[in-house]
Amino acid sequence: MNQSQTLLLDGNHAVSWAARLARPQVVPVYPITPQTPILELITEFHANGEMDAEILTPESEHSVLAACVPASLAGARVFTATASQGLLLMHEVLHYAAGARAPIVMANVNRTVASPWAFWPDQTDSLAQRDTGWLQYYSESPQESLDSVLQAFRVAEQVGLPAMVNHDAFYVSHSLEPVQVPAQATVDGFLPPYAPAQRLSPELGSSWGNVVSQDMYYRHRQAMDEAMARALAAAQEADLEWARLTGRAWGILERYRCEGARVVLVALGSLCGTTREAIDALRAEGIAAGLLKLRLLRPLPQAALRAALAGVPDVLVLDRDHSPGLGGILHQEIRGALYGLERAPRVHGLLAGVGGVNVPPQRICELVRAAIGRAPAFESTWG
């Protein structure tokens, strides 16, 4: 594609376009609702001769990721996609991929985990994988999903860690909007061919998978942590460069009407769009409210969170996820990031949107009015 163009795309097909533009050489995939349209459009591109990649269709998601790892270690750019139970089936290999420092990029469509069986937007699937060593982006719209996949490739390959780009089932995956699809030359300039100096190769005589000593393992985990720390700066640099090329920047945090706010709501993904409407309504009735959208969960931008929320009297964390026995996962992440902060806010955790239930702006306004000035419960509460 020689020129940028505007196409009417849903979130899943925006991801497929991003995968095509990134020029991956190996794409193992397995269908699962509601991710399957990503796979379908990629195979259509391939059948039409518009995508030069080795498309593999193994027998399960576990095998998909098992195919991704050696391809990446051999020096190929690798893309895949999944959702919910598929991501959970990958769990063992998620750890292995991160430990092997394989910069695979995967799109995950956030969907409820079984049981009971359901297909609604819920972020428990990816948040349950936050300790596997993958970078985690969360997207609010089809345009952001397209841009995030391309940025994720750049960051992952710079720091040598895999990256996961998450968007909510149906609210993003199946919602249509005009999407700016950049020209191939723009993406090629942003994302040069992946050519790692260290890779599995008979010529190099390299290998992976030997048993290591305690000290080697210890140093390996330290190196992973250092790579995660570098990813923060790399993500910011990638976003700035993307803004220079396309005019679009997303940041790692987005602050919406936070100036002088006495209450700030924190959320991930599609819930942020609804929350903006609630913020506007609250401001109109004289309540100084703002939104802090967290786009990058791993690495968690703790310093930026502390700077953004210091001195705010009340923070409401909206969780579209659920950890039985703990509550909201995002709630605990934010509380941990703010621990020991001078002028720390009161942090209220609200389990809003679990299982994909609708959370209209009016309900968010009610939650804010009820929380202002009230001591927060230690646990997350059902909102």
Side-chain angles (χ1 to χ4, degrees):
M1 194 170 68
N2 297 325
Q3 294 184 327
S4 65
Q5 56 182 317
T6 302
L7 301 177
L8 189 61
L9 298 175
D10 62 31
N12 280 347
H13 283 178
V15 165
S16 305
W17 270 98
R20 168 179 162 172
L21 289 164
R23 299 185 188 271
Q25 293 146 306
V26 180
V27 182
V29 280
Y30 189 85
I32 181 170
T33 302
Q35 171 273 131
T36 303
I38 297 176
L39 177 161
E40 290 173 334
L41 187 55
I42 285 176
T43 53
E44 185 178 323
F45 287 149
H46 186 258
N48 293 338
E50 298 164 331
M51 191 168 174
D52 183 18
E54 186 78 22
I55 308 291
L56 305 175
T57 54
E59 72 276 16
S60 72
E61 288 89 348
H62 187 281
S63 298
V64 161
L65 200 53
C68 289
V69 174
S72 180
L73 292 181
R77 178 168 289 159
V78 181
F79 175 81
T80 189
T82 191
S84 184
Q85 303 301 116
L87 183 64
L88 302 187
L89 188 55
M90 291 176 172
H91 177 74
E92 174 195 2
V93 197
L94 290 173
H95 281 283
Y96 200 95
R101 308 294 300 272
I104 302 157
V105 170
M106 173 163 58
N108 176 61
V109 183
N110 287 122
R111 193 198 95 185
T112 45
V113 296
S115 64
W117 205 252
F119 299 95
W120 312 119
D122 186 296
Q123 294 155 347
T124 305
D125 56 354
S126 56
L127 288 171
Q129 313 307 317
R130 65 193 186 281
D131 299 330
T132 58
W134 286 58
L135 312 176
Q136 284 204 7
Y137 283 88
Y138 285 81
S139 164
E140 180 187 350
S141 67
Q143 182 71 70
E144 187 178 354
S145 294
L146 184 149
D147 293 344
S148 295
V149 168
L150 295 170
Q151 292 186 16
F153 268 113
R154 178 169 166 134
V155 177
E157 292 173 3
Q158 283 182 352
V159 304
L161 286 173
M164 191 183 300
V165 177
N166 302 281
H167 67 204
D168 288 336
F170 304 109
Y171 289 141
V172 181
S173 69
H174 287 62
S175 294
L176 286 163
E177 71 172 26
V179 174
Q180 293 286 325
V181 179
Q184 185 65 64
T186 302
V187 177
D188 289 346
F190 178 75
L191 196 59
Y194 179 51
Q198 185 175 352
R199 62 187 184 280
L200 293 181
S201 165
E203 288 78 20
L204 296 176
S206 56
S207 67
W208 173 260
N210 55 303
V211 175
V212 299
S213 66
Q214 298 98 320
D215 181 63
M216 291 169 71
Y217 190 93
Y218 183 84
R219 287 187 281 113
H220 187 77
R221 299 301 288 193
Q222 282 185 310
M224 287 178 65
D225 215 35
E226 291 164 4
M228 270 287 177
R230 292 198 304 277
L232 268 181
Q236 291 171 312
E237 184 275 332
D239 193 56
L240 289 172
E241 177 63 9
W242 192 243
R244 187 185 70 79
L245 294 171
T246 67
R248 293 187 299 277
W250 305 97
I252 55 174
L253 294 176
E254 177 194 328
R255 303 178 77 219
Y256 178 73
R257 304 193 70 174
C258 287
E259 301 78 14
R262 68 152 339 280
V263 55
V264 171
L265 290 94
V266 181
L268 297 169
S270 64
L271 201 49
C272 295
T274 313
T275 305
R276 279 194 200 85
E277 287 193 36
I279 297 300
D280 291 344
L282 289 164
R283 287 273 180 175
E285 66 180 75
I287 298 176
L291 164 69
L292 189 66
K293 171 185 166 182
L294 184 58
R295 180 173 176 240
L296 191 64
L297 186 95
R298 283 292 182 277
L300 186 66
Q302 297 185 72
L305 282 167
R306 291 168 73 91
L309 297 176
V312 175
D314 287 285
V315 168
L316 272 68
V317 183
L318 304 179
D319 271 285
R320 181 169 272 160
D321 62 83
H322 180 223
S323 173
L326 177 71
I329 297 170
L330 183 59
H331 177 208
Q332 301 305 327
E333 292 271 324
I334 298 300
R335 286 209 312 188
L338 300 181
Y339 181 76
L341 177 70
E342 290 187 17
R343 301 184 301 132
R346 293 182 289 268
V347 182
H348 309 255
L350 298 165
L351 293 160
V354 175
V357 295
N358 184 34
V359 187
Q362 298 83 355
R363 179 59 182 151
I364 295 175
C365 292
E366 291 170 2
L367 293 170
V368 170
R369 294 188 200 103
I372 289 176
R374 187 184 67 189
F378 185 76
E379 305 86 358
S380 305
T381 57
W382 290 90

